[in-house]
Structure formats: structure tokens, C-alpha cells
Amino acid sequence: MSYADFHKRSVEQREDFWAEQAQLIEWHKPFEQVCDYSRAPFVRWFPGGETNLCHNAVDRHLKDRADQNALIWVSTEVDQERAYSFRELHAEVQRMAAVLQAQGVKKGDRVLLYMPMIPEAVFAMLACVRLGAIHSVVFGGFASHSLASRIDDAAPVVVVSADAGSRGGKVIPYKPLLDEALRLASHKPAKVLLVDRGLAPMERTEGRDVDYASLREQFIDAEVPVTWVDATHPSYTLYTSGTTGKPKGVQRDTGGYTVALAASLKHIFQGDPGETFLCTSDIGWVVGHSYIVYGPLIGGMATVLYEGLPTVPDAGIWWSLVEKYKATVMFSAPTAIRVLKKHDPALLKKYDLSSLKALFLAGEPLDEPTARWISDGLGCPIIDNYWQTETGWPILSIANGVEKQPSKFGSPGVPTYGYDVKLIDQQTGEELDGPDQKGVVVVQGPLPPGCLQTVWGDDDRFVKTYWQKVPALDGQPERWLYSTFDWGIRDKDGYYFILGRTDDVINVAGHRLGTREIEESICSHAAVAEVAVVGVADQLKGQVAMAFAVLRDASALGDEARLAQIEGEIMKTVDAQLGAVARPARVRFVSVLPKTRSGKLLRRAIQAVCEQRDPGDLTTMEDPAALKQISDLVTVK
Ligand code: AMP
């Protein structure tokens, strides 16, 4: 079947299409319905069906591949490498599940994970879904304020953490950050389960903090059967940034997600059972959830969990892992490839990379020079694909498993099966049919299996944030459109090009950050009266955050030494509250920020000036001198 027909069927004969894909996974009880869209825009996939994510990722493979590798952990931070077969992974997950149960974790409870890239993090994720508990992994690079707001939102029964992570050989103690977050949070989890790696000393709170190692021994022979859950039962929440400072908990189901990942392995990633998948993301991000942990394991593949930098001991480390484990599928981000590109190109030739079928890149725009460099070096297809935390798997891609299609540099491809992608005019909401017209990328509901069910605990926010209703018109029924908040254009061949966000979300090295969160953190510094944070184009990281602040004491403006000191303090504040990942590249000081007469910050105009572009229509600007100050600051003299 041609890809075009495959896609057409996926949206026009949705029920038949997904009922077939659902056969890729194991069900404890068959579903009663494929797609319940009676309460649009909410959709329930495979209701009535019972399954379990952990069963499909682990137990299911015991009969055919118990002794094959399932999880390969490589850490260049602590110089360790450990491989777990499916049988061993099964045992470890049951131990972890028994330990969690002993701490009171039951079906539906939340468990928050604040973990470095260690095997126990994967065990804990799998153990949670085994029990029907809902995990919420918080990226280890976030600090106490970010962590506290997520603890309050998820209200976990247990937090699982470790003494420390490590980055570039530098130990990053997690426990003090966690203790501070628990002090700040209003919700108090009953237990904190700690993995002690022996990297940093930990203080323990009596009665609350428990050690994993001793409990694991206690449950070494534990057998914990999977808890069968309805397909619509939440498997996890994952926080992501939006336009407000309050992070959104993206809530994912069980059955739809398992089916979506199993199907994506077959049609997009083309990974076969018994092969190895190397995904260089972090378990704290959506790519890590879908393609370090669940996707490869559901597909019966071994997955590599890599802790370390891409350049240590040298920039050939990932290629050495491809050679050693004969990885067939690799998934990374454009920033990482840009980093490698700065190193010795001979490293690409040093290893046997012939096992690789394709390299997938996602998370941010892939520029042509980077795509060409890596394509020439690897000699396998480079597949850019576009998605979001919300969707859990690609919206735009090239599904070579269905039909081989050419890629186009700069384009993440065509709509993935299941996604009814459209472009609309931002002002009128009208659909843009013609080629090369710029519009907002939207998906007509229902979203396919695997995408977010709702925003955790806030159905109203889910509908208001993402959806718009198109009333019934000209014989067409009422429709709902999901906004991606990305600008895009589609060429005459149907390939999409993503042109950046329509909202105040920025993308630093593939990490999505809300400018509001950073602004709130900077404003907590006593010297700051007001601040604007914008994303500015950067050659290496795609974008970096730039902050422009107005000080309470205007007289400090002329005092360079004082300004440098405040800038340093602000950086430390952001590091401590949000984590270094959110730290702005620079904080510059101005006497007034550019705003409209109604008081709205002109972030886009600031961004344009920083990127030496035309700031556009400024007729509504209150004080024209405000933008001039910024342009004087950023213009290299
Ligand atoms: P996240 O939720 O962190 O995965 O970020 C999602 C956002 O990253 C999208 O809304 C896009 O703005 C951007 N993004 C993801 N993948 C791509 C891609 N392949 N090309 C361009 N932008 C991308």
C-alpha cells in the first residue's frame, strides 16, 4: 500500500485502522470499542480493553527472548557498563515494584521520580506501570522550585530519587535539591525512596526516607504480578512548559500509548526484535519515555541507557556504542549532532557503523549543514521528525516502514498516519489549502492513540489551551482542532516545514522552556522590578534565553560593576530555582521595557531586535526609546 493510502485510511477508516494496529500488543481482555469520541475533544482509545504497559515491555518477551539484552546501561560518568537481559529486567522490576508496594503504592497513586540516568530509574518507571501507579519523571536538571511545583501538582505518595547525578565528571547532589523542594511544597509525600550511588553524602529524614539497596535485598525473590488496567487508565504524567509559569502535566493513557509505540517501531523506526536501539535523550523528557524506555522494549529490542556527555572520553563515544552493540536504530537531537560536528570528523570513520539502518533526529529544527554533515558521515538515512511532549510520538515523519519515501532537507516530513494535520490562518482560523502558505499547524481531533488524554487534574485547561471548535458549516459536521502552537508551511508535495512557535515557549538545545517561568524566577531577585525573557537564535543550541531587566534602583544602571554582580546573582537564582538548563545566556539591564500602550510586553519585537531583524509594526508601542535601548545593548560595536 502506498503511504498516501495508508495515511488516508488511518484518518478516514480510523476504527479499522487502529483495531489492526492494536493487534501488535497483548491484551488481557479485548477492547469493546476502538475510539470513543463522544465527548470531543476528549478521546478514549480502546475502552473496555485491559492491558499493562510493563507486561508488553517486559513479561511478554520472556517466552522468546528471556536471555537477550533488554537494558544496557553505559555510564562514562562513573565508568560502568551493565547489561540486563529481559529475565533480569523482569526480576529487577518486580523487586522495585515490591519495594514500592511496601511503601504503600497502589493502582492510581502517583510516584514522582527525580533520578539520574541509572537503571533504577527505568526499573521504577516500569514498576509503577506494572502496579497501575502513575509515574511522573522530573528531569534531573531541574532544581528545587521547579521540582516543588511538580510535587504539588502530582501529589505523589512516594518520591524516588538518588544521592546524585554527574555531568562532565562533576557530581551534582540531588538530595539537597529534593529536600529543599519538599520543604517548599505544600504536599508532603509519605516516603522518599533513595538509591545511594555513593557519589554524595545524604541526610535522611527519619520515618520518611528509606534506602533502596536494603529493601531490594528484602524483596530479592519478589514476584509481583502485573495489575491489569483499562486501556484508558493513566500510565504517567510528564510536565511541560506553556505560556504561563505553571507547568502542565501531560497525562498519557495505557492502551493507546502502547499501541502507538508498537506501531511506530514497525512503521517509522523499523526496529526489529532482538536488535538494539540507541536513544541519547534523557528519561526526564518525552523522547526518553517513548524511545529509551517504552518503545524499544515493547518492540522486543535492547535499549541503551547512556549517562554522560556525547564528547567524553571523546566525541566518538556514541559511535563506539553503535559498533559494540550493533545498534540498528539511533535517535538523537540536532544540538547533539552540532556539538559532535565541532570535533574530529575522523571519529565518525573509526567505528563500524554498518548496523545502523537510520538516525532519527527530533526536538528542534534540523539545519541543512548539520543534516548533510551527519548524512555524509553515516551513510544511512537521517530522518527528521517533529513532535511534542503532548503527542508522545511523531506528528510529522517519514514512515519508511510503510513505503520508502524521500526526505527533504529542512522538513520533518509529512503527516504521520493517525494525524489529520492542517494549516490554518492564525487570525481567521480558515484552512490554508494552497502550497507555501504560512499558518499554524493544527491536528483535527480526535488525536491518535498515544497523545495526551488531558492536562493532569485540569480538563478545563486542556480544552482551553489546546482546542478550538469549528462550528458545523456547509454540510460539514462540527470539528475540533488541536493547536501545536507552531508555525509551518507545506510545499506542493505535502512536506511540512516548521517555522517556530506561536507562543512564548523557547527551545534551548532541544529542551522546551517557558519564558514566563524564567521571568518569574528572575523577578524573585530583590533588585529586579520587571523582566522580559526572549529566545534568541543561537548557532549551537538553536535558541538561547536572553533576559532584559528593569532594576528597582534605577541609579545602578550606570554602575557596570554592580550590574555584573546582579547579573551573576540572577544566574545563581535561576540555577537554584529552575536549574542550569533554564539559565539565560545574558541578563542585560534597561530603564524601561518595550510594551504596547495597553501594557503588553513586546517580546517578539525584542526578539527581532536581538536577531538583527525588522521588529515589525510598532505603532502600538508605548515608548519607542525602549526598543532603542535594547538594540544599542545587543548591537556589536
Ligand atoms: P517538546 O514538547 O519539548 O518535545 O517540544 C516540542 C516543540 O519542539 C515543538 O512544538 C516544536 O516547536 C519543536 N520541535 C520538535 N521537533 C521538531 C522538529 N523536528 N523540527 C522543528 N521543531 C521541532
Side-chain angles (χ1 to χ4, degrees), residues 520-543:
E520 278 173 25
S521 176
I522 294 177
C523 269
S524 72
H525 188 286
V528 177
E530 215 184 349
V531 66
V533 171
V534 296
V536 177
D538 179 82
Q539 278 215 326
L540 188 66
K541 297 181 173 180
Q543 278 188 312

Side-chain angles (χ1 to χ4, degrees), residues 315-316 318-319 333-349 359 361 366-380 382 409:
W318 288 347
W319 314 127
T335 294
I337 305 301
R338 286 194 289 268
V339 167
L340 297 183
K341 196 169 140 210
K342 294 183 143 187
H343 291 257
D344 183 2
L347 288 167
L348 256 172
K349 300 282 167 226
L359 168 67
L361 296 172
L366 172 62
D367 56 286
E368 193 165 332
T370 305
R372 285 198 191 280
W373 177 78
I374 194 69
S375 170
D376 292 347
L378 289 182
C380 70
I382 308 300
F409 280 117

Side-chain angles (χ1 to χ4, degrees), residues 42 110 112 134-138 146 149-155 234-253 284 286 289 388-392 450-463 465-466 482 512 517:
F42 296 91
R110 272 81 57 217
L112 187 134
I134 302 164
H135 62 67
S136 189
V137 183
V138 177
S146 309
S149 64
R150 287 154 174 83
I151 292 173
D152 275 338
D153 195 75
S235 56
Y236 68 78
T237 64
L238 182 58
Y239 288 89
T240 189
S241 310
T243 30
T244 67
K246 190 178 182 294
K248 291 187 285 261
V250 164
Q251 178 183 319
R252 198 98 61 213
D253 72 357
V286 64
H289 279 62
Q388 309 184 304
T389 306
E390 286 84 347
T391 65
C451 297
L452 82 168
Q453 291 181 292
T454 185
V455 170
W456 172 255
D458 204 342
D459 283 353
D460 205 37
R461 190 172 177 200
F462 170 67
V463 178
T465 306
Y466 296 106
Y482 164 88
R512 173 167 158 189
E517 272 173 277

Side-chain angles (χ1 to χ4, degrees), residues 240 285-286 361-366 384-390 412 484 486 498 500-501 507 510-512:
T240 189
W285 304 114
V286 64
L361 296 172
E364 53 179 320
L366 172 62
D384 183 2
N385 57 114
Y386 157 82
W387 44 305
Q388 309 184 304
T389 306
E390 286 84 347
T484 62
D486 278 305
I498 299 296
R501 298 278 303 193
N507 194 320
H511 297 166
R512 173 167 158 189

